[in-house]
Amino acid sequence: VSLFFRHGAADRGLVLPPPFGPPLLHNHKMLLLAAAPLAVRHAGPDFSTFLDHATGTWRGSVFRHSPAGSGPLRATQSVHHVSEVMRACGGAVQGVSECGGLGEDDLYLNRAAGGATFFSFGSWALVSGGCDGGCVHLCLCHDESRHRIDIRLEEGELHSVSVAVEGRRATPPLATQLLSGQEAVASAESLGGAWDDLILTGVPPGSGAGWASQRAVWDLCSSAAAEEEVPLPEG
């Protein structure tokens, strides 16, 4: 079950476990994975490389929305400090901590925990709870910039959502535009770089097994062999 945003490398996607699968986000269209005869077994994302691309201080802008709120959406400053978290007994790095610098709750991503997925170039996903109540956190990273999306559900309804545009070495131009009140439109083409047209997917090791990124079985295939377009639902 995969949620994928095409980037310049094959493993810069996001995998979501049930009950939030199985839609596949690809060039702003909903897709489903079909039979993939050209798939080959893959070692999976590399956690050490993920740490190189994900850790540091990210600054930019964020939109926050709640159905109960009122008034126009306005961008505000966004800051997240991402650091390594070691195992309690010492030794290897167990995950990363995302600390919001502007009064947000800290987010801990444990690479061995269910619902968490990491990708080599800094992208990650974390799901807790279910459709009746829980949170979905997505981060799409590209070079020194990233988009982070946080969704909270309560009793099957949207409670709140936030979308942040951040950079690690410098504030992205898009974030600066949003903070100044300008209207800005981002597209996949604006990311630049080469597109390799490959999809990396992961599944639990056995039927009924819970999702854990480091225990998943990974396959790499051409998107042309793996996807079947389906229409987006209206509304």
Side-chain angles (χ1 to χ4, degrees), residues 79 195 222:
V79 179
W195 299 79
S222 165

Side-chain angles (χ1 to χ4, degrees), residues 131-179:
C131 291
D132 290 334
C135 295
V136 179
H137 307 277
L138 308 175
C139 182
L140 301 171
C141 188
H142 182 267
D143 293 332
E144 294 297 321
S145 66
R146 71 178 198 170
H147 291 64
R148 174 173 159 171
I149 305 170
D150 300 272
I151 303 170
R152 181 180 175 186
L153 304 174
E154 289 190 358
E155 297 180 353
E157 301 289 338
L158 176 66
H159 177 272
S160 61
V161 61
S162 66
V163 179
V165 181
E166 300 172 327
R168 186 165 58 168
R169 297 187 184 276
T171 299
L174 175 59
T176 302
Q177 286 182 264
L178 295 173
L179 287 171

Side-chain angles (χ1 to χ4, degrees), residues 51-77:
L51 293 174
D52 292 339
H53 287 81
T55 53
T57 298
W58 298 83
R59 294 183 173 88
S61 64
V62 60
F63 279 101
R64 295 183 176 87
H65 169 71
S66 173
S70 61
L73 292 175
R74 296 185 183 278
T76 58
Q77 287 187 334

